[in-house]
Amino acid sequence: MLTIFKKGLMDPPKELNSPAAGSSSSDKKPKFPEEIISHFQQLHHQYSQSSSSSSSSSTSTAAALSIGFGNDVLLAYFPSKYQNSHQRRLLCGMDEMYCIFVGHLNNLSSLLKQYGLAKNTNEAMFVLESYRTLRDRGPYPADQVLKDLDGSFGFVIYDRNAASVFAALGADQRVKLYWGIAADGSAVISDSLDVIKTGCAKSFAPFPAGCMFHSDVGLMSFEHPKNKMKAMPRIDSEGVMCGANFKVDVSSKTNSMPRVGSEANWALPGP
C-alpha cells in the first residue's frame, strides 16, 4: 500500500527528514510523488508476473487500485492473495473518508456488536465507522479505542472534509509501516520498505508500533498516551544520518487538558 499527502496536509515530525537529504548523491536523493507512484506500480507489475509464473493456478492477480485528489493526496494498494493473514490489504471509502487497512482484527465480531454494525463489515469499514464516531461525538479518546483492537494491523485514514490524516500501527509488530519525506516535502506512508527507501532516500524510518499520528496532534503512543515521544538518531551502514526512529519517552509526561464534551479534540488522551 502507498499513501502520499502534500506538505501542510500531513506534517510528520521534523526529525524524519534526514540532514543528508540535500547533499546525497544523485542516485540517492528523495524522489517526487509521481516518481514514487511509478516505482510502486512497477513493483506491483513485477509481483504480479512473479505470482503468475510461480503458481499453477489459472486465477489472475488483482490489479492495483488507487484514488487521487488532485496533487494533494494519493491512496494506492494492490490486494494481497493472503486473505486471512497480517498481509491482507483493504481499501474503502464513505462520506468523503477513505481508509487503507493492512492486517486483520481477531476481535472484529465483538467490535461490530459493540458498535452496532452489520456482520459483513470488514476491518477497513469498521475503522472508518469508529473514526467517524470519535470525530463527531468523541465518547472516548482515540488511544482507548485503539487499545481495544486485538490483532495485527496498520491503517491510514484520509478525511477529505476535515482535511486531515489519521494513521496508526498495532503494537505486535507483525504488520510493518514505514514513513518518509518525498523530494517536495510530501509525507509518504507504505508497507513496502523498498518503496519508501527508493522514494525517500535517507529521509524515512519505521512507523513506530503502538502509535498513532493525527494531523492536528502529531505523533503519540496509544499504549502510553500520557508519555511524550522522542526522536532517536539513526545512522545507516554508510555512516549517514537518516530519518529518526521514535520511541516513548518514559521520563516525560504530556500536559494534555481533560477532554470535555464532543467539542474536545478526540485524538487527545483523556484525563
Side-chain angles (χ1 to χ4, degrees):
M1 57 81 79
L2 171 67
T3 65
I4 302 178
F5 300 100
K6 185 178 180 180
K7 185 177 181 180
L9 178 60
M10 177 180 176
D11 295 320
K14 64 181 184 300
E15 294 88 351
L16 193 60
N17 206 339
S18 167
S23 60
S24 300
S25 60
S26 59
D27 62 334
K28 292 186 178 181
K29 287 184 179 180
K31 299 185 181 300
F32 288 92
E34 56 270 22
E35 296 175 296
I36 299 174
I37 295 167
S38 177
H39 179 63
F40 175 81
Q41 293 172 335
Q42 290 174 6
L43 280 181
H44 169 60
H45 180 67
Q46 295 169 4
Y47 171 85
S48 299
Q49 288 185 325
S50 174
S51 296
S52 298
S53 62
S54 63
S55 174
S56 59
S57 172
S58 60
T59 57
S60 59
T61 305
L65 303 175
S66 64
I67 303 174
F69 301 89
N71 296 319
D72 294 340
V73 177
L74 173 88
L75 309 175
Y77 91 121
F78 56 91
S80 171
K81 63 181 180 180
Y82 306 104
Q83 291 302 307
N84 294 306
S85 78
H86 59 277
Q87 297 181 26
R88 186 177 63 156
R89 304 179 189 93
L90 300 167
L91 170 64
C92 77
M94 64 176 75
D95 300 332
E96 298 297 337
M97 301 179 297
Y98 303 87
C99 174
I100 296 183
F101 182 97
V102 182
H104 71 282
L105 297 177
N106 300 324
N107 62 336
L108 180 61
S109 295
S110 61
L111 290 169
L112 296 182
K113 292 179 182 179
Q114 178 181 339
Y115 282 77
L117 300 175
K119 292 182 179 180
N120 62 347
T121 302
N122 65 30
E123 283 92 343
M125 295 166 63
F126 165 76
V127 166
L128 279 185
E129 289 286 5
S130 58
Y131 165 82
R132 177 162 55 183
T133 298
L134 287 169
R135 184 197 65 184
D136 296 345
R137 300 199 296 272
Y140 310 105
D143 61 273
Q144 182 177 332
V145 174
L146 289 171
K147 280 188 285 191
D148 287 341
L149 306 184
D150 176 23
S152 303
F153 67 89
F155 64 80
V156 180
I157 293 174
Y158 170 52
D159 186 336
R160 192 178 185 188
N161 288 336
S164 63
V165 179
F166 181 46
L169 181 63
D172 73 354
Q173 302 187 46
R174 295 189 68 188
V175 170
K176 305 288 187 181
L177 291 182
Y178 307 90
W179 58 346
I181 309 297
D184 66 346
S186 295
V188 184
I189 303 177
S190 179
D191 62 346
S192 169
L193 180 57
D194 190 321
V195 169
I196 288 290
K197 290 181 70 173
T198 301
C200 304
K202 304 295 184 180
S203 296
F204 82 94
F207 191 95
C211 291
M212 64 183 187
F213 176 92
H214 187 269
S215 298
D216 295 336
V217 179
L219 180 67
M220 63 178 289
S221 167
F222 63 78
E223 288 207 305
H224 306 282
K226 296 296 186 181
N227 294 93
K228 295 181 179 180
M229 301 293 295
K230 66 178 179 179
M232 306 293 291
R234 186 169 64 93
I235 300 176
D236 67 8
S237 59
E238 299 175 348
V240 178
M241 184 75 75
C242 299
N245 286 326
F246 295 89
K247 295 186 177 181
V248 174
D249 186 351
V250 296
S251 63
S252 180
K253 299 287 186 179
T254 62
N255 294 317
S256 60
M257 295 294 290
R259 299 166 67 256
V260 179
S262 60
E263 297 300 318
N265 191 322
W266 59 268
L268 290 172

